[in-house]
Amino acid sequence: MHKSAMHNPTLVINSGSSSLKYALISADNQHRITGLAENLGANEAQIVHKDLNGEKSVIAISGANHKEALVTILEILGDYKPIAVGHRAVHGGHEFSQAQRVSAAALAQLKRLTPLAPLHNPANIVGIEAVQAIYPQLPQVMVFDTAFHQTMPPKAYRYAIPKALYETHFIRRYGFHGTSHAYVSDRARELTEQLSTTNNASKLNPSSEGSKKQGWLTAHLGNGCSAAAIYEGKSLDTSMGLTPLEGLMMGTRSGDVDPGLHAHLKHTLGMSLEDIDAMLNKQSGLLGVTGVSNDMRAVEEMAADNTHPNQADANLALEMFCYRVAKYLAALSCALPELTGIVFTGGIGENGADIRARIVADMRHFGLQMDSAKNAKLIRGQEGSFHGDNSRYALWVIPTDEEYRIALETRQTLGL
Ligand code: AMP
């Protein structure tokens, strides 16, 4: 691959507590170098790097922290110098309704938001400061998971609790996975516009015939799961709330529970708030219901294995997972003036053909009709629709690309 292929690239960084994911993306989005620094701070720290041709190499960086890992990553990237860095930032509170160029003031604001994302925001700050220390002149942008959902109306983002908690402490719903919902809904709009000029897409949704406006329900189903209602490119409601715990059942997160559960567990079992929080975030979801695994593939295998002692638990977990997604999508449709279709994305949404089929079946009053052969083929990064000819609404699988979206918003923010 010639060096000029990587023209004016943007470096996208997703910094976690002990990991740092990176992607160097060319301005035309045709070329990408990616990698993951993991186990940072431990003896096993290493970088798994994939070059322009997709070839993998592993570099040991024993004991390295985020900054030391980044120095090595920039060395590996060598001549491919980024012109800007975009950081995935988790919680932008109500202060950030769009991507923000890093400045002393913006960084201070992000630090003030730490109580809203105590695990994630400090990791983002470490990543930003590591780049500042190495390349002080390089422009950096924070792209928030929450920003896309700042268009939600108050009826969707307020909790029915005393208003002082909102007015003084900004306790409200924020929503997450914004870059993913933004990417797949934009892509769905683009693909629908292309199709409507070429074939019978107008057969779908006769109620909105003649209207060019598009309303999408997007289901991001991965280890974390959320759904959103997006109309004309704006998020109108979503399933996650103040924290990413609200809403759908996830890998290890419970999603919705009765808000009275905390008090009940404290009174009856003497559990502390910290224990309850850890239980709902780390020991619940697919893991909690099966008692074995947070991984959907493993759950599906368990459900199909007549000899597995947890087969019944796995079947129940699958039923609960799909029912909860269907129930949320149905509820979120209330936010949309018009509905064009549903988009599935995330590791489960992009690969779990059986899960998609069950979710569609659970939405039995929506007039959805699925093309099973098309559905079965949409796995491993395939993009396409799987509605049948008589479906009232479109059904799409669109592999998410949060890194591309972060690079795009970074360039837009900097006017590049
Ligand atoms: P993500 O967080 O987006 O990487 O998604 C991770 C989830 O996707 C895990 O629960 C995986 O088990 C699930 N997943 C990946 N491949 C498949 C598959 N072929 N069928 C069902 N789930 C899958």
Side-chain angles (χ1 to χ4, degrees):
M1 182 78 54
H2 194 264
K3 204 179 110 191
S4 62
M6 200 35 114
H7 186 61
N8 283 345
T10 304
L11 180 63
V12 174
I13 292 181
N14 184 353
S15 184
S17 55
S18 65
S19 67
L20 192 151
K21 236 174 126 183
Y22 59 94
L24 189 73
I25 303 178
S26 63
D28 60 4
N29 192 30
Q30 295 303 305
H31 305 285
R32 209 175 280 208
I33 299 172
T34 61
L36 170 71
E38 54 191 355
N39 304 320
L40 295 176
N43 282 339
E44 304 77 38
Q46 60 174 16
I47 296 172
V48 182
H49 181 79
K50 257 196 197 167
D51 70 13
L52 264 180
N53 303 313
E55 254 167 65
K56 224 181 194 179
S57 52
V58 178
I59 302 110
I61 48 169
S62 186
N65 61 21
H66 285 75
K67 186 175 153 203
E68 289 156 348
L70 207 56
V71 170
T72 311
I73 291 162
L74 293 167
E75 267 169 26
I76 304 168
L77 293 174
D79 288 344
Y80 299 121
K81 289 238 159 55
I83 57 163
V85 181
H87 293 267
R88 174 184 180 225
V90 171
H91 215 308
H94 71 282
E95 285 88 343
F96 296 112
S97 55
Q98 54 194 19
Q100 178 79 28
R101 184 173 183 156
V102 171
S103 63
L107 203 53
Q109 186 68 273
L110 186 64
K111 285 180 182 169
R112 278 197 292 278
L113 288 168
T114 296
L116 284 172
L119 296 179
H120 289 104
N121 278 18
N124 300 149
I125 293 161
V126 168
I128 292 168
E129 290 181 338
V131 175
Q132 272 179 341
I134 302 165
Y135 282 136
Q137 304 307 327
L138 202 58
Q140 301 194 70
V141 172
M142 316 186 268
V143 182
F144 299 94
D145 253 17
T146 50
F148 181 61
H149 300 299
Q150 281 292 302
T151 47
M152 285 194 286
K155 71 176 177 184
Y157 72 66
R158 285 287 294 273
Y159 289 114
I161 57 177
K163 70 176 181 172
L165 285 170
Y166 168 66
E167 288 170 349
T168 315
H169 302 287
F170 307 106
I171 305 297
R172 49 160 284 181
R173 307 181 66 252
Y174 290 96
F176 297 85
H177 289 145
T179 48
S180 180
H181 290 294
Y183 174 81
V184 299
S185 58
D186 257 20
R187 186 81 188 123
R189 180 183 45 74
E190 200 175 283
L191 291 163
T192 303
E193 275 167 10
Q194 280 168 18
L195 277 180
S196 66
T197 53
T198 54
N199 71 6
N200 61 356
S202 61
K203 269 214 241 159
L204 293 166
N205 190 9
S207 65
S208 69
E209 213 158 332
S211 167
K212 289 255 186 298
K213 302 215 160 149
Q214 293 193 24
W216 290 97
L217 294 170
T218 51
H220 177 109
L221 309 176
N223 199 30
C225 300
S226 69
I230 295 153
Y231 187 63
E232 289 292 277
K234 289 194 164 61
S235 173
L236 296 185
D237 200 355
T238 189
S239 60
M240 284 177 169
L242 174 72
T243 76
L245 187 54
E246 189 177 330
L248 302 176
M249 174 173 162
M250 315 186 203
T252 62
R253 280 176 247 163
S254 61
D256 292 346
V257 292
D258 183 334
L261 180 69
H262 293 69
H264 181 77
L265 292 177
K266 181 173 185 306
H267 293 143
T268 55
L269 302 179
M271 286 176 77
S272 68
L273 267 185
E274 288 69 28
D275 287 346
I276 297 167
D277 195 49
M279 180 271 288
L280 293 174
N281 276 291
K282 299 194 177 121
Q283 294 142 26
S284 298
L286 294 175
L287 176 63
V289 177
T290 62
V292 180
S293 179
N294 66 324
D295 189 292
M296 186 53 98
R297 263 168 307 192
V299 175
E300 285 193 306
E301 278 163 25
M302 239 187 292
D305 181 353
N306 290 331
T307 64
H308 201 290
N310 296 78
Q311 187 188 32
D313 297 324
N315 271 312
L316 177 62
L318 285 176
E319 260 187 279
M320 287 172 68
F321 182 91
C322 297
Y323 175 65
R324 188 86 70 100
V325 176
K327 190 164 111 170
Y328 250 100
L329 291 174
L332 285 168
S333 72
C334 299
L336 296 172
E338 284 164 82
L339 177 58
T340 311
I342 303 173
V343 183
F344 293 89
T345 194
I348 300 169
E350 293 168 28
N351 294 292
D354 290 344
I355 308 268
R356 292 192 298 256
R358 288 173 84 140
I359 294 168
V360 168
D362 278 346
M363 296 182 76
R364 59 185 62 77
H365 305 298
F366 276 71
L368 298 169
Q369 192 230 338
M370 195 183 82
D371 181 324
S372 300
K374 281 188 182 167
N375 180 42
K377 283 196 194 124
L378 290 169
I379 51 170
R380 289 194 208 98
Q382 290 299 311
E383 178 182 81
S385 63
F386 64 102
H387 48 265
D389 287 342
N390 297 316
S391 188
R392 181 152 185 219
Y393 303 108
L395 297 167
W396 282 90
V397 173
I398 300 184
T400 195
D401 194 348
E402 292 168 277
E403 288 161 347
Y404 164 68
R405 180 79 194 190
I406 291 171
L408 179 74
E409 290 193 25
T410 298
R411 286 198 296 272
Q412 284 171 346
T413 303
L414 297 171
L416 296 172

